Amino acid sequence: MKCSFSRLLYPKQLEEARDGSYMIALFKPNEKVLDAQGNRLSSIKVVGHFLPTVASVKVDMIGHWKKDARYGLQFEMESYEEIVGSDKRSIVAYLSSGMIPGIGSVLAERIYNTFGAQTLEVLDQNPARIAEVPGISKKKCEKFCSAYMETRSARKLINMLAPFNISAPQAIKLREQLGSDAPALLTQFPYMVFEHDQIDFETADQLAQANGIARNAPERLDAGLLYTLKLAEHDGHLCMHKEAFVRKAVNLLHAPQVTWKGVAQRAFEMIQSGRLILYNDYVYRPIMARAEEEVAAGICDMLKRDKMPYMGDLDDEIDRQQAEMGFTFAQEQRHAIRTALTSPICIISGGPGTGKTSIQRAILNIYKKVFPDSDVVCCAPTGRAARRMEQSTGYPASTIHKALNLTAGELHKLRELQLLEADLVLVDEVSMMDMVTTWCLFNALPPNCRLILVGDADQLPSVGPGAVLNELLASGRLPAVILDKVFRQSEGSLVAENAQRIRHGVSELDFGDDFQFWASADEVQSAQYLMRLYKREVARFGVDNVALLTPFRKKSETGVYSLNAALHDEVNPAVPGKAEIEVGQRVLRVGDKVMQMRNRDFASNGDIGYICTSTQGEDGLLVEVDFGDDRVVAYEDIEALRQLELAYAITIHKSQGSEYPAVVIPVWSGPQMLMTRNLIYTAVTRARACVCLVGVPYVFQQMVDNAMEQKRYSGLCDRIEEIMETL
């Protein structure tokens, strides 16, 4: 569609859109454009990123029409090309249009007089040649080059990637990572797109084929091998056995020219050059090998400390804590406190009701009494877990990332990490810590700092690669206390007792008001019961204090999608005056409970919050989400909103690190990998006061009987043993 810029609607100032943010503008068509009724359009509302805003320059836009329920017909731009003639008048008008700061008609004419009809070609390929123009100072040349390349490279990259279904926000993100040379870099090295976590291998492959890269080219084999490891990391593995690694890479690279021998040879060459790391017949990406190596070394450095500061008579101090707290510690709990306070590093592991919270509070109280001037850092992998830790111990707590001043995914800042100002670091919910997070933590520990790791080894492993807690326990090298006795039962709750039975493989449970099983005949009936029970518990505890936890995401009656769709209008119905916005097939409205599904600035994957603001109009799009810990995060385009999902129902995996007074859990047959003991155990242990199971009793029994856990490939245990044997 050929058209010209008319007026900017959002943002109000052009300068605000130079970073590639979402834009809305009116354009005048330069050709006949008809609406669905056959009426000629005199103006068109265009939405997108990096919209052309120079009125004197015609453009040819590529995109698609869409009908917004509230704002009518819109054209969503995917890419565009400027229509600039090669004659002097056209080029001078283009350069002096205001697109490039500091270029007026006089200077534009001088530029044309220097380069003639090849002006735009010269500027696109080598803008530094602007220095050849008479009267251009070195400073002005640098300013021109920066401004010209900023706008041209961004648009060029968006146009280049649009045919491969790479959105403008993704292209802009790539450009931020690769710099202004991104178009040239991706033309020469197209597989860089997936290496920067923006695009999958298949899309990168399409881009490579379009640039003439052969199916058996070394760079394609390299990319396939690296992507195979990234897929393994997505499944929780740090590494792959060399034979399985090559086999999976061959399957991914599927092509007549690609052979097992050729891929194996390329893998060997990458190992020789250091682009892959081989350890004990297992292959790693270098960053994961380094993380594992340095964590193992950090642990062994702590273990070899032979002297710890004297803590006095700990039995007397524990007795004082008992008196203050109003209950008596069992022997295993006293042992846990003593171990934590006399060891440079230790692990305390146990299920719900075993006293982990009270133990943490006692440890902190005693330590601060003995060392009143010491610095203590308390942290957990998620915001919810940190808030719970703070409430239960009485000491300030934060997420691990916040304590380290890291945004999720900022590994490039690892070298810039400042040492924590801490004499003791206490980490809760350690089962959720992946290897990279653990690596960052160890890099920030100052010398002689104590580290206490608290968690439940029987819960689901971390979402990210690694099984840190289980590997550390398996090594047998770290001081560890396993808490096995449940004490919460005395409070009259069946939750902790039944959780402990599940943990030990016992499916015969006790039932009562706080632990219920609702048998259902089919999945439709299960869904009806789930909704009824969820609404009942919300009426008792409030929407923030109830979780519907399901193993499934996909569109089954008891999956996340279906349950959220059904609950949405029940829990937060549409009413006149309540703002809402359509995001694809979903509707988000003010008051909705939502979850962030990808890491971004100021919001991490798994964060739950509530929509507090939603506006969409000529002033643009703004949705704000309150995540409850002084974070109100703005979402200013549809692409960002696609990262939000309703969170009335969430997966059990996403619930890790959270606790609720009440949880409602479907028990229905599904993929074998989800029908496991640690999955149902994790779900049940999210509850403090009430559990409602809904489904089929024999499925529940099968889950409890199924102790199978997917093995995660990691060498942490071996590396610790290897180092300790040399000490």
Side-chain angles (χ1 to χ4, degrees):
M1 179 181 68
K2 295 177 175 64
C3 55
S4 301
F5 172 75
S6 180
R7 182 163 64 93
L8 186 65
L9 300 177
Y10 175 82
K12 293 296 187 184
Q13 303 295 323
L14 180 60
E15 291 74 18
E16 298 174 29
R18 293 199 183 277
D19 63 350
S21 59
Y22 189 74
M23 300 170 68
I24 306 172
L26 290 179
F27 281 76
K28 180 182 178 182
N30 298 132
E31 58 186 12
K32 191 176 183 180
V33 180
L34 306 178
D35 64 13
Q37 288 74 44
N39 303 311
R40 185 165 185 170
L41 297 175
S42 59
S43 68
I44 301 164
K45 185 179 286 186
V46 179
V47 300
H49 299 258
F50 269 110
L51 298 184
T53 55
V54 179
S56 58
V57 178
K58 296 178 182 179
V59 295
D60 190 0
M61 277 191 189
I62 299 171
H64 61 273
W65 294 96
K66 66 176 189 177
K67 184 102 179 244
D68 187 273
R70 188 174 297 178
Y71 301 104
L73 190 65
Q74 298 175 338
F75 187 81
E76 187 162 8
M77 188 204 76
E78 296 169 358
S79 62
Y80 73 90
E81 290 290 340
E82 295 149 335
I83 305 171
V84 183
S86 59
D87 60 288
K88 181 176 181 178
R89 182 178 177 183
S90 299
I91 292 175
V92 169
Y94 174 66
L95 292 177
S96 61
S97 63
M99 180 194 72
I100 306 166
I103 303 295
S105 57
V106 175
L107 183 54
E109 189 163 339
R110 265 192 271 150
I111 294 171
Y112 180 85
N113 291 338
T114 304
F115 302 116
Q118 283 74 48
T119 294
L120 296 183
E121 184 181 340
V122 169
L123 295 181
D124 283 346
Q125 295 179 1
N126 189 6
R129 287 190 63 189
I130 194 75
E132 299 174 19
V133 177
I136 297 284
S137 66
K138 183 179 178 182
K139 187 175 180 181
K140 195 161 188 175
C141 176
E142 290 173 354
K143 187 177 178 181
F144 173 88
C145 287
S146 175
Y148 191 82
M149 291 304 295
E150 183 77 20
T151 54
R152 293 293 295 177
S153 73
R155 295 202 302 270
K156 186 177 179 180
L157 187 64
I158 291 169
N159 293 347
M160 170 184 158
L161 299 179
F164 304 97
N165 294 318
I166 298 174
S167 68
Q170 287 174 309
I172 292 163
K173 191 74 175 176
L174 276 169
R175 189 179 172 279
E176 289 173 359
Q177 294 169 333
L178 300 175
S180 59
D181 292 334
L185 283 170
L186 291 179
T187 299
Q188 191 175 358
F189 310 108
Y191 292 105
M192 291 179 77
V193 290
F194 93 75
E195 289 183 14
H196 286 267
D197 292 324
Q198 297 300 309
I199 311 297
D200 60 22
F201 177 80
E202 185 179 349
T203 303
D205 217 18
Q206 293 172 5
L207 181 60
Q209 303 314 304
N211 284 298
I213 293 178
R215 305 280 285 175
N216 61 345
E219 56 263 48
R220 183 171 185 265
L221 300 186
D222 293 356
L225 287 162
L226 288 169
Y227 194 70
T228 298
L229 284 174
K230 295 195 82 169
L231 289 175
E233 291 167 17
H234 186 268
D235 290 335
H237 307 295
L238 283 167
C239 52
M240 294 181 71
H241 191 273
K242 59 185 182 182
E243 292 181 4
F245 169 57
V246 173
R247 185 172 63 252
K248 288 205 172 190
V250 171
N251 291 337
L252 175 74
L253 293 161
H254 183 70
Q257 312 94 311
V258 176
T259 64
W260 195 98
K261 184 178 179 181
V263 174
Q265 176 61 31
R266 193 63 194 171
F268 175 76
E269 291 168 3
M270 291 181 74
I271 290 168
Q272 291 293 99
S273 66
R275 294 186 64 199
L276 296 175
I277 304 297
L278 184 67
Y279 174 72
N280 286 351
D281 288 337
Y282 283 82
V283 184
Y284 297 73
R285 285 200 305 142
I287 192 166
M288 292 301 170
R290 183 183 164 198
E292 192 177 82
E293 230 172 63
E294 292 188 7
V295 168
I299 287 167
C300 294
D301 282 345
M302 297 183 84
L303 289 173
K304 69 183 183 183
R305 291 184 203 162
D306 53 1
K307 289 185 179 179
M308 297 295 295
Y310 180 61
M311 296 288 300
D313 192 330
L314 287 178
D315 284 327
D316 285 349
E317 292 296 339
I318 294 170
D319 290 341
R320 291 189 189 95
Q321 289 300 311
Q322 288 181 157
E324 290 177 15
M325 293 182 185
F327 61 83
T328 302
F329 287 113
Q331 283 304 310
E332 65 177 27
Q333 294 173 322
R334 295 178 72 96
H335 178 50
I337 297 170
R338 199 179 294 109
T339 301
L341 291 170
T342 56
S343 307
I345 181 172
C346 81
I347 299 171
I348 300 171
S349 178
T354 56
K356 295 195 301 294
T357 297
S358 301
I359 288 168
Q360 290 180 68
R361 192 167 71 198
I363 290 169
L364 293 169
N365 287 345
I366 294 172
Y367 188 82
K368 287 296 290 183
K369 184 180 178 181
V370 177
F371 303 111
D373 297 327
S374 62
D375 294 311
V376 169
V377 171
C378 300
C379 54
T382 68
R384 280 180 171 266
R387 286 196 297 275
R388 194 175 71 247
M389 188 183 190
E390 183 168 317
Q391 291 164 2
S392 61
T393 65
Y395 289 82
S398 70
T399 65
I400 297 171
H401 279 83
K402 188 173 181 179
L404 301 180
N405 197 30
L406 277 176
T407 300
E410 288 186 328
L411 273 184
H412 60 284
K413 290 189 177 180
L414 190 63
R415 280 174 274 177
E416 303 169 21
L417 278 177
Q418 299 295 312
L419 293 181
L420 289 168
E421 293 183 8
D423 301 292
L424 181 149
V425 174
L426 176 61
V427 187
D428 199 8
E429 297 288 355
V430 177
S431 65
M432 298 180 65
M433 277 176 57
D434 59 29
M435 183 57 72
V436 172
T437 303
T438 308
W439 181 34
C440 291
L441 177 64
F442 270 88
N443 269 274
L445 292 178
N448 300 317
C449 178
R450 300 172 191 251
L451 179 62
I452 303 169
L453 304 172
V454 182
D456 185 349
D458 293 302
Q459 286 187 27
L460 292 169
S462 60
V463 174
V468 175
L469 177 58
N470 285 4
E471 285 277 295
L472 295 181
L473 287 170
S475 75
R477 291 288 189 172
L478 281 75
V481 180
I482 309 300
L483 303 171
D484 204 43
K485 187 177 178 180
V486 174
F487 299 93
R488 198 185 290 172
Q489 181 67 12
S490 61
E491 301 173 12
S493 170
L494 294 173
V495 175
E497 182 64 29
N498 283 335
Q500 200 74 348
R501 291 182 186 181
I502 293 169
R503 179 185 173 210
H504 291 295
V506 178
S507 57
E508 296 177 1
L509 309 180
D510 290 335
F511 297 101
D513 290 341
D514 56 354
F515 205 103
Q516 304 172 9
F517 198 115
W518 292 65
S520 55
D522 53 45
E523 200 171 7
V524 173
Q525 190 180 56
S526 284
Q528 293 169 347
Y529 285 174
L530 288 166
M531 288 185 62
R532 188 188 309 171
L533 290 165
Y534 181 84
K535 288 191 289 183
R536 184 191 76 181
E537 298 306 314
V538 166
R540 291 175 64 197
F541 296 106
V543 68
D544 195 42
N545 295 315
V546 181
L548 203 170
L549 308 180
T550 173
F552 318 117
R553 281 188 62 81
K554 294 185 178 179
K555 293 183 179 180
S556 64
E557 295 291 333
T558 56
V560 165
Y561 297 144
S562 295
L563 290 170
N564 273 322
L567 285 168
H568 190 202
D569 289 333
E570 295 281 345
V571 181
N572 187 32
V575 297
K578 183 182 289 185
E580 62 180 41
I581 185 171
E582 292 182 16
V583 184
Q585 302 298 311
R586 299 177 294 123
V587 174
L588 298 176
R589 60 178 67 106
V590 170
D592 273 337
K593 186 178 184 180
V594 292
M595 176 180 283
Q596 176 70 25
M597 301 304 292
R598 292 184 62 184
N599 289 327
R600 59 166 291 182
D601 291 343
F602 310 113
S604 299
N605 187 351
D607 283 352
I608 292 177
Y610 292 86
I611 296 177
C612 55
T613 303
S614 179
T615 59
Q616 185 183 24
E618 290 197 349
D619 287 339
L621 167 67
L622 175 64
V623 174
E624 292 182 316
V625 179
D626 186 350
F627 287 104
D629 51 358
D630 299 324
R631 281 183 302 140
V632 177
V633 179
Y635 296 76
E636 297 182 344
D637 57 62
I638 294 296
E639 194 69 31
L641 281 177
R642 294 190 202 281
Q643 300 175 8
L644 290 177
E645 286 188 4
L646 293 172
Y648 302 106
I650 62 175
T651 64
I652 296 170
H653 284 83
K654 289 290 189 183
S655 73
Q656 290 178 254
S658 299
E659 268 192 3
Y660 306 87
V663 299
V664 183
I665 308 165
V667 181
W668 199 258
S669 189
Q672 189 65 17
M673 62 181 293
L674 294 176
M675 300 291 101
T676 63
R677 183 187 301 169
N678 67 346
L679 190 86
I680 192 67
Y681 173 79
T682 299
V684 168
T685 55
R686 298 309 89 207
R688 290 197 302 272
C690 180
V691 172
C692 299
L693 300 169
V694 178
V696 183
Y698 80 82
V699 173
F700 174 76
Q701 185 172 338
Q702 287 178 337
M703 293 181 75
V704 175
D705 290 343
N706 183 10
M708 178 195 74
E709 294 182 30
Q710 183 188 10
K711 178 175 171 57
R712 292 194 165 191
Y713 295 110
S714 164
L716 180 61
C717 192
D718 291 340
R719 292 184 192 271
I720 292 172
E721 190 62 31
E722 203 173 82
I723 297 171
M724 292 302 293
E725 285 180 356
T726 65
L727 297 179

